[in-house]
Amino acid sequence: MKTNKQYIELSKKTAAERAVEFIEDGMILGLGTGSTAEYAIKKIAEKKLNIVAVPTSRRTEKLAKKLRIPLAKMDEYREIDMDIDGADEVDPEFNLIKGGGGAHTREKRIAERSKKFIVVVDHTKLVKKLGNFPVPVEVEPSRKEFVEEKLRELDGIPRLREDFITDNGNIIIDTRFDIENPRELEEKLNSIPGVIENGVFSKRKPEIIIVGYGTEVKILKRKNESR
Ligand code: 5RP
């Protein structure tokens, strides 16, 4: 009998490993960050797939290097064939919150440049409405107070992520919002001076979401393929 935690872990692994089956020979592949994406990374290494990977964080880069996956630099390829990444929340319209691992800025840049974006999650990440998970906002350290004030003006409840500096040398302010319109929020947050990027993904949504339920998966495909 599996505990709930074990079942969630199995669900992450099943979803991530299913995504690896979408990889084609010779692809330039975005490698996401987080515990779910890491199952995909380990599978790619195990299968010794012929790909070149663009990591979305130092954490992912370190793991991929250790597993001897060929790596490219962030800006080496203008176009990436496919990106596999996790998420913290997924709504029915395929809007996401990402950045629980603090890597959302690079994750978004890589997803934007990818022809296909596949998100892998366990079933607990599916929500009716985004917002139970606070939105990670990457901020220039010197603008902390100013940005916090602006976040409050947007009815957010900001909270500094303690003892955390992003790969880009910035801070993260995790901010709770009642999110009615993810697109509007994504734009408003990025228009605050000092904000580098936020974890709402409503412009670059995934084409495919693979949801793990124990050893089973559900593959959700976005109907409108235009970005
Ligand atoms: C990192 C992310 C992760 O993809 C997200 O936090 C999900 O992580 P996990 O798979 O460990 O639950 O956005 O910045």
Side-chain angles (χ1 to χ4, degrees), residues 92-136:
E93 273 77 49
F94 285 37
N95 297 298
L96 315 173
I97 292 183
K98 285 186 51 54
H104 58 275
T105 300
R106 220 152 117 182
E107 290 175 330
K108 203 180 272 189
R109 297 291 94 78
I110 289 179
E112 282 163 353
R113 276 161 38 197
S114 298
K115 285 190 260 177
K116 187 176 267 180
F117 178 26
I118 302 184
V119 160
V120 286
V121 288
D122 69 81
H123 56 98
T124 65
K125 305 283 184 68
L126 297 185
V127 296
K128 285 208 178 83
K129 187 171 172 280
L130 297 183
N132 199 28
F133 196 91
V135 177

Side-chain angles (χ1 to χ4, degrees), residues 7 10-11 14-15 121-123 126 211-218:
Y7 186 76
L10 176 64
S11 305
T14 309
V121 288
D122 69 81
H123 56 98
L126 297 185
V211 191
Y213 297 83
T215 55
E216 306 285 317
V217 293
K218 243 188 218 160

Side-chain angles (χ1 to χ4, degrees), residues 154-205:
L154 292 174
D155 294 327
I157 307 173
R159 191 171 176 180
L160 176 72
R161 196 176 295 186
E162 298 287 347
D163 301 321
F164 189 88
I165 295 291
T166 68
D167 286 350
N168 312 313
N170 297 308
I171 55 170
I172 300 263
I173 303 178
D174 292 305
T175 310
R176 281 195 184 279
F177 287 103
D178 181 11
I179 306 179
E180 288 306 332
N181 185 334
R183 182 88 181 223
E184 197 179 276
L185 182 64
E186 181 175 2
E187 279 169 8
K188 276 190 180 163
L189 291 176
N190 280 355
S191 71
I192 301 173
V195 168
I196 308 292
E197 187 53 84
N198 70 86
V200 178
F201 281 52
S202 65
K203 292 184 188 167
R204 181 52 176 125
K205 298 182 193 184

